[in-house]
Amino acid sequence: MSSTEMNGQKRSERNRDRMKKNDWILAGTVLIAALFFLVGNCFTERRGKDAEKYLRIKVDGEVFREVNLEEDAEITIGEHNRVKIQDGQVEMIWADCPDQICAAHPKISKNRESIICLPNKVILEIVDRADEGSKENDAVAG
């Protein structure tokens, strides 16, 4: 074996070892990043559970009523819609609109979820009081 071949073999062994070392560094970095996201998510979930959530009912763009989700209630909205709050969940139990999309909508319980009845201009939205102050603008300023 010539000296050039031996030098090439040593370099390839070093590159193999270096690749293994770099692989460990990459795997460790990914694992640490995943751990940070997991811990952050746990704290966010806990804050969400402790926060006070309520239902905001809007009719024709105006706030009709706000109700805490901890209170079980059945609310009649004008002559057109009826809403039920039970066990922290909200559902539209009756509507006189022709399409019945709002009445068929699944129950909502999470922050910023909504049920909308377009024909009657009714919006049911879950709002988190802790999130109210940090709400960012959704529109683009022109």
Side-chain angles (χ1 to χ4, degrees), residues 32-33 132:
I32 290 170
E132 281 272 279

Side-chain angles (χ1 to χ4, degrees), residues 28-61:
T29 304
V30 169
L31 186 62
I32 290 170
L35 187 63
F36 277 118
F37 284 117
L38 180 66
V39 169
N41 191 29
C42 287
F43 283 119
T44 303
E45 287 293 321
R46 181 169 292 139
R47 183 185 69 88
K49 290 178 184 175
D50 295 341
E52 181 184 355
K53 293 180 187 174
Y54 63 98
L55 171 66
R56 179 179 290 154
I57 303 170
K58 290 184 180 180
V59 179
D60 202 17

Side-chain angles (χ1 to χ4, degrees), residues 3-4 6 9-10 34 43 46 48 51 77 81 93 96 106 120 129 138 140:
S3 65
T4 323
M6 289 180 77
Q9 188 178 7
K10 287 181 181 177
F43 283 119
R46 181 169 292 139
I77 304 168
N81 298 80
I93 57 173
D96 67 357
N120 296 331
R129 291 227 191 258
D138 290 336
V140 176

Side-chain angles (χ1 to χ4, degrees), residues 53-58 63 65-67 69 77 83 85 90 92 108-116 122-128 131-132 135 138:
K53 293 180 187 174
Y54 63 98
L55 171 66
R56 179 179 290 154
I57 303 170
K58 290 184 180 180
V63 176
R65 191 166 168 191
E66 293 181 346
V67 184
L69 286 186
I77 304 168
V83 177
I85 303 171
V90 178
M92 183 82 69
I108 59 174
S109 63
K110 296 180 182 164
N111 189 29
R112 297 184 182 169
E113 283 186 322
S114 60
I115 298 174
I116 301 171
V122 174
I123 299 173
L124 310 177
E125 181 183 22
I126 305 294
V127 182
D128 186 340
D131 197 36
E132 281 272 279
K135 196 179 221 181
D138 290 336

